[in-house]
Every structure is written in structure tokens, then in C-alpha cells.
Amino acid sequence: MNAADTEQGRTASQSSFDRLPPEVTYKIFSQLDVQSLCRASETCWAWNRMIRNNDALWKPHCLTARAVCPREIDGDIECGYTWQATLLRNYEKSKVKHAWLSGRYSNIRSPVHLPKRFMCPMDAETWGEILTAELER
């Protein structure tokens, strides 16, 4: 296979996807989890544009994160952030907060032992929620 064949195959696959009705592409992308949706947006310019410009794709993921971070998500939506921006602002925090609230770090007795790569900045109210949950355990 030479470069011309590769380019022809790439053009054929892109044009096939581009010919799908927007409702079908939305349905396909709406089945993806957050990581897959982000990866798909990096695949090509057309997919990036479709995913970036369709805020409704991000809403279900944002509502899932809201189960753990309702104050943060609601606050961002009230401030006028899009679903996508709200999710990007709160996704890592929701994962870390969920881990804390589920007791994943309950056995850690010193900040030195916290896994730094799994931590992210959180405000005082979030830490208050986590500490309250720890005290109730």
C-alpha cells in the first residue's frame, strides 16, 4: 500500500462518515464514555468539530459527575458555562471526590502517603464534605 492508497482510503472513510445524517453521528457519539469521546475528538478535524460543537453530548456525563459534585456542577451551569466546559472543569474533581467519599483513602494517616497523581485542587467546601464523611465513618 502506498501513500496514494492510504490517502484515498482516508478520504473514502471520512466522506462515508460525513455523509451520515447529523442525528446518526450524534447517536454514535452519545454512546461513548468520556475518555472515548475525548479520544474520538482527536481523531480528525471533522469529528473534533462535531464533538466540540455539540454540547448535548457532554450533558449526560456532566450529570453523572453531578451525583458526586452537585454544588460545583450547579454553580458552573448557573455561571453560564457550557456542559462541556463544566465537565472539563469538574471531571477530575468528581473522580477524586468520589474516591474520598467512598472511603478509598480512609486508611491513609498522613498527607505524605496520598497518591499525588490522583489528587487535584479542591475548594474548602469540598474538603469539608470529605472530612464530614470521614468523621461519620
Side-chain angles (χ1 to χ4, degrees):
M1 182 180 271
N2 62 29
D5 292 336
T6 304
E7 185 61 34
Q8 183 180 10
R10 189 178 305 131
T11 303
S13 66
Q14 285 177 343
S15 62
S16 297
F17 190 81
D18 291 341
R19 284 185 266 166
L20 290 173
E23 301 81 23
V24 174
T25 57
Y26 171 79
K27 184 67 174 170
I28 292 168
F29 287 138
S30 70
Q31 301 300 310
L32 300 178
D33 60 26
V34 173
Q35 290 87 1
S36 299
L37 195 58
C38 291
R39 286 185 192 119
S41 73
E42 296 173 347
T43 302
C44 66
W45 288 105
W47 287 20
N48 180 282
R49 199 170 29 258
M50 281 184 239
I51 292 168
R52 187 182 61 233
N53 294 334
N54 194 335
D55 201 44
L57 287 171
W58 301 95
K59 183 177 179 178
H61 302 296
C62 203
L63 294 177
T64 300
R66 187 184 179 281
V68 178
C69 297
R71 182 179 45 78
E72 295 90 336
I73 301 289
D74 292 346
D76 282 0
I77 294 300
E78 287 174 14
C79 287
Y81 286 98
T82 64
W83 289 111
Q84 181 183 15
T86 299
L87 182 65
L88 293 175
R89 288 173 47 88
N90 294 288
Y91 182 70
E92 287 300 318
K93 184 189 296 185
S94 72
K95 288 179 18 182
V96 170
K97 188 175 175 182
H98 175 71
W100 275 101
L101 293 175
S102 65
R104 179 173 182 189
Y105 303 115
S106 291
N107 61 339
I108 296 175
R109 299 292 174 221
S110 166
V112 176
H113 297 102
L114 287 172
K116 294 194 182 355
R117 67 180 183 179
F118 295 116
M119 297 295 113
C120 68
M122 291 189 271
D123 59 23
E125 289 182 51
T126 302
W127 281 115
E129 293 172 31
I130 291 168
L131 291 173
T132 300
E134 283 296 314
L135 290 172
E136 291 173 358
R137 273 192 237 296

